[in-house]
Amino acid sequence: MQEPSQIPAERALTRRRSKVITPADAAAMVADGSTVALGGWTFYNTPMAVIRAIIRHGSSGLRLVSSPGAIGPDLLIAAGCLAELATPFITMEQFGLAPAFRSAVKDQKLKVSEIDGPGLAASLRAAADDLPFGLIHDLGTDLPGVNPEMYRPFSHEYAPDSNLLAVPAVIPDVALIHAQRGDEYGNLQFLGATFFDQLIARAARVVVASVDELVSSQELTQYPQRTKIPGFQVTAVVPVSHGAHPCGSQGLYHPDLQHLQTYAQLAANAAGRGKYLGQFVLGCADEAAYQAAVTEG
Amino acid sequence: MADPALMAPSIAEFTAILLSRQLKDEAVGILGTRSEIAEAACALAQATHAPGLWYMSGPSGVVNPRHGELRPIADDALIQGAEALLELSDNIDMIDWSRRTFDFAVLGGIQVDQFGNLNTVAVGNWANPKLRGPGAIGAGVLAGHAGEFFIVMNEHTTRNFRPHVDFISAMGFGRTGRERAALGLPGRGPQLLISPFGVFDFTEDEHRLRVRTVHPWSSLEEIRANTGFNLAEAADVQPTIQPRPDELETLRTVVDRTGVLRQKSGAS
């Protein structure tokens, strides 16, 4: 054991490593063809700034394993980033069905891995637990028929009278989630619901979290009970004020329903999707430009 | 301004009041996204005959919001004043596996069939659908495991009341009416269906959809003409018992103070 006097000066002064990166840095962490998990829930806590950066980056062939989403997954479909989507549902809520999803299914441009809540939960939990598969009850749905890879018949001598299905683990290469607050070490605080984000963070190899507010460690540690995901599970933190817009960020701001409605209407056809992407994503160099474009309407 | 309790109920209010009467004191229910009618029914039951009823938001983990305004069930406005805010990553044990947590669920779909099976995935062929729905949601496990479930259909036409749904995303009694028992599912399955025309249950032997009561503005003829299969009919089909003024007043002054259901048409 070294005596304190023997510790080299540069080691004693080592600074705790910051995990802060930009949305563009985050996009570069998502390799083409990788499996990406998306957190939040429909109009809430979707990491939209990172999604916009991924679209600008031109990522392609992604396999998205998503919490129930709205504009988040739909915009990735509209931009042609996805090869496959696995999600229990996708909706624009009161503004109707998800338009790019609907169109891509109609044109057979997207592989749909049809799953329900138990399928998603079991596949992520098995990944988080480092088990090869999870077990769920057979509920008599038609899902095994259209998705035999994810819903596999399972029998075991320990449970001869049970009707079970095995769901293979899905280990996301990258998880994209959004929290209201975080510090530079990756501790994430939620001021509302957490949805699937904790499970997603436990399951993924790499976790990228956008936060609306980057706060000091001193401020964050005043409310440790709000830290729902500890920094040791988080690879990178992307501070972006209003980073979930047009979705809401629970406890900080509501969904921008007008903008979401505009998207739902525009994205109904290819020309409108191109217009939206040009005006709000590809035509904006960064998030500051996006916010300005939103303000201009 | 006219006394709001004197205005006739909208179809959504009418449905919420009928559903609330089915909910029992001390029962535990779970609600999913886009379920304002079910949310209203639970809150109304709490404010009337079932003060000990529990209901939880599936997505957000809010328990018993008592908000006074109907909001999307995942919305953070429901958190303040709620009795609990749980984490979905933990709640999946109750929602996706447990066979004893929930006494009831309220489900719907883009199609329903004669055996109470529901479809939220696709109309037509799954691989090349005529209409792509939002997805399977998590309704199948609630249909399978909740003690019972109620079906609310916002439309009633031959297009969505089908002999067989095109995709079973939540099983009622199965393709032939016997699959529930064959799979050993613990819940009793669909017990009641409310449409804009009437209230229905399922026959004891074959588990076929059966007309119980007819809403005051509808008729048996209209129900038959708008259903894509032969319905069973109760021996004594009665008119639906209409909302009482006190139920409507409580709904409007305690549960839905901003009139979300009042402004909602039946065919949303």
Side-chain angles (χ1 to χ4, degrees):
Chain A
M1 191 177 154
Q2 287 177 315
E3 291 299 317
S5 61
Q6 293 175 303
I7 295 174
E10 66 270 27
R11 195 169 137 202
L13 292 174
T14 292
R15 195 168 178 280
R16 191 174 173 190
R17 183 171 63 87
S18 168
K19 296 180 177 179
V20 172
I21 62 170
T22 67
D25 297 333
M29 293 169 73
V30 180
D32 287 353
S34 58
T35 298
V36 177
L38 184 64
W41 193 279
T42 66
F43 287 174
Y44 308 96
N45 293 7
T46 310
M48 291 303 300
V50 173
I51 284 174
R52 285 185 284 268
I54 287 171
I55 294 170
R56 284 184 207 112
H57 184 74
S59 300
S60 65
L62 303 178
R63 178 189 184 205
L64 193 72
V65 178
S66 181
S67 297
I71 189 173
D74 204 62
L75 199 57
L76 286 167
I77 295 167
C81 299
L82 300 192
E84 183 181 329
L85 176 66
T87 188
F89 65 95
I90 172 169
T91 173
M92 287 301 290
E93 298 278 16
Q94 59 265 48
F95 308 125
L97 295 163
F101 170 69
R102 197 175 175 182
S103 172
V105 169
K106 185 164 166 282
D107 298 340
Q108 307 206 324
K109 286 183 174 168
L110 180 74
K111 182 184 173 194
V112 176
S113 172
E114 198 81 54
I115 57 167
D116 63 353
L120 179 68
S123 64
L124 291 174
R125 177 186 263 177
D129 293 347
D130 283 325
L131 291 170
F133 58 86
L135 293 178
I136 59 173
H137 299 283
D138 184 351
L139 300 157
T141 72
D142 286 339
L143 290 164
V146 301
N147 199 350
E149 287 172 32
M150 285 294 282
Y151 295 87
R152 303 184 184 194
F154 181 89
S155 59
H156 195 279
E157 58 182 306
Y158 288 174
D161 299 326
S162 296
N163 291 294
L164 299 170
L165 297 168
V167 179
V170 172
I171 306 173
D173 296 305
V174 186
L176 307 175
I177 59 176
H178 179 84
Q180 284 70 52
R181 280 185 194 149
D183 66 12
E184 61 180 316
Y185 311 120
N187 294 303
L188 303 179
Q189 296 200 325
F190 289 76
L191 306 182
T194 48
F195 304 111
F196 263 126
D197 292 6
Q198 291 150 307
L199 180 60
I200 285 172
R202 289 171 205 149
R205 292 191 172 92
V206 165
V207 176
V208 175
S210 55
V211 295
D212 295 297
E213 299 174 359
L214 185 72
V215 299
S216 69
S217 186
Q218 198 178 16
E219 190 175 342
L220 181 123
T221 51
Q222 284 176 27
Y223 304 100
Q225 66 273 32
R226 290 179 182 166
T227 304
K228 302 291 186 179
I229 298 178
F232 65 79
Q233 288 183 328
V234 177
T235 315
V237 177
V238 187
V240 188
S241 175
H242 287 78
H245 186 275
C247 297
S249 187
Q250 291 214 334
L252 288 184
Y253 49 90
H254 297 295
D256 183 343
L257 295 179
Q258 202 182 345
H259 188 103
L260 289 162
Q261 185 171 23
T262 299
Y263 172 78
Q265 288 165 351
L266 270 180
N269 59 62
R273 290 192 286 277
K275 185 177 177 213
Y276 182 91
L277 285 165
Q279 189 176 352
F280 293 109
V281 185
L282 300 170
C284 304
D286 55 19
E287 277 300 299
Y290 167 76
Q291 303 283 359
V294 169
T295 309
E296 286 161 23
Chain B
M1 198 178 113
D3 180 351
L6 299 177
M7 290 161 51
S10 69
I11 292 182
E13 289 178 316
F14 191 96
T15 304
I17 290 169
L18 296 188
L19 181 58
S20 79
R21 294 172 182 164
Q22 300 297 321
L23 306 180
K24 300 175 186 76
D25 196 18
E26 304 278 334
V28 180
I30 177 159
L31 305 185
T33 297
R34 298 293 290 153
S35 55
E36 279 88 351
I37 287 174
E39 193 182 340
C42 289
L44 180 60
Q46 287 177 333
T48 54
H49 65 278
L53 180 123
W54 302 85
Y55 67 102
M56 184 178 86
S57 159
S60 76
V62 157
V63 178
N64 284 350
R66 303 185 198 278
H67 185 64
E69 295 176 15
L70 294 178
R71 307 282 301 194
I73 201 71
D75 197 276
D76 42 328
L78 298 182
I79 295 171
Q80 190 67 41
E83 294 179 19
L85 175 64
L86 308 175
E87 318 281 343
L88 181 56
S89 297
D90 298 330
N91 280 356
I92 55 174
D93 286 315
M94 294 191 278
I95 297 170
D96 293 325
W97 279 276
S98 165
R99 304 189 130 187
R100 57 195 148 79
T101 302
F102 298 111
D103 299 304
F104 70 93
V106 183
L107 306 174
I110 51 179
Q111 290 182 329
V112 64
D113 69 21
Q114 59 186 321
F115 299 116
N117 302 303
L118 292 165
N119 173 13
T120 54
V121 169
V123 172
N125 180 273
W126 176 81
N128 188 17
K130 276 186 269 185
L131 173 70
R132 173 65 218 196
I137 315 181
V141 69
L142 304 182
H145 290 174
E148 60 185 346
F149 72 92
F150 306 106
I151 301 172
V152 173
M153 297 297 288
N154 293 327
E155 285 182 59
H156 189 151
T157 71
T158 53
R159 287 188 311 279
N160 68 337
F161 277 63
R162 305 299 307 153
H164 299 281
V165 291
D166 294 335
F167 190 104
I168 296 182
S169 52
M171 195 172 76
F173 292 103
R175 285 275 174 227
T176 69
R178 294 187 290 270
E179 283 74 5
R180 254 196 115 75
L183 269 177
L185 292 179
R188 291 189 291 135
Q191 295 298 301
L192 205 73
L193 181 152
I194 306 174
S195 90
F197 296 147
V199 178
F200 307 78
D201 66 1
F202 294 85
T203 60
E204 288 76 10
D205 46 358
E206 295 179 303
H207 298 133
R208 287 169 55 224
L209 192 67
R210 170 171 64 190
V211 190
R212 294 295 310 186
T213 69
V214 179
H215 291 351
W217 54 82
S218 187
S219 65
L220 258 178
E221 291 69 34
E222 186 175 41
I223 288 172
R224 289 183 193 127
N226 283 281
T227 303
F229 50 89
N230 285 328
L231 284 155
E233 292 172 14
D236 56 338
V237 174
Q238 300 283 323
T240 303
I241 297 173
Q242 298 204 45
R244 299 186 310 267
D246 61 301
E247 288 174 308
L248 192 57
E249 184 177 359
T250 304
L251 179 65
R252 289 175 172 178
T253 58
V254 177
V255 172
D256 180 20
R257 293 193 302 239
T258 57
V260 170
L261 296 190
R262 210 176 315 161
Q263 294 146 23
K264 197 175 159 104
S265 72
S268 68

